Amino acid sequence: PNPFNPVTTIPYQVSAQDARKNISLQIFDVMGREVITLVSKAHLPGYYSVEWNGCDGKGKETPSGLYFYQLKTDEEVIKTKRMLKIK
């Protein structure tokens, strides 16, 4: 999803080990502040994707810049990646 404007699709995979655990996918700004939670639910194993429209949790458009998305279970971080939003 790099760079993106104004929408990006974030693919992710849930392993059999993480099946039925609560999976969350959150977006953070460069200062480490949570921008929005895109996913927060239990999943079966498989491949998934979620779309981020570049807005925060209140529906306000975020500025251009570096953002991080983090996929995690209740117990551990599975993946953290960066993405660049350009207007």
Side-chain angles (χ1 to χ4, degrees):
N2 280 312
F4 75 95
N5 177 17
V7 176
T8 187
T9 301
I10 302 169
Y12 62 99
Q13 179 181 0
V14 176
S15 68
Q17 173 185 338
D18 294 323
R20 301 191 190 277
K21 294 180 184 176
N22 188 53
I23 302 289
S24 67
L25 195 147
Q26 298 169 294
I27 307 292
F28 296 91
D29 67 15
V30 74
M31 299 298 289
R33 296 176 294 225
E34 182 183 339
V35 175
I36 191 169
T37 298
L38 297 175
V39 175
S40 182
K41 64 180 182 176
H43 287 65
L44 294 174
Y47 294 91
Y48 300 88
S49 65
V50 63
E51 192 173 89
W52 182 40
N53 63 3
C55 293
D56 65 16
K58 297 176 183 175
K60 183 179 175 189
E61 187 175 346
T62 58
S64 295
L66 185 62
Y67 292 88
F68 298 90
Y69 69 87
Q70 187 172 74
L71 182 67
K72 63 183 179 179
T73 67
D74 292 330
E75 295 120 15
E76 67 178 317
V77 173
I78 298 171
K79 178 194 297 189
T80 302
K81 288 208 167 190
R82 63 184 173 162
M83 55 189 167
L84 183 63
K85 180 180 178 186
I86 298 175
K87 287 187 180 181

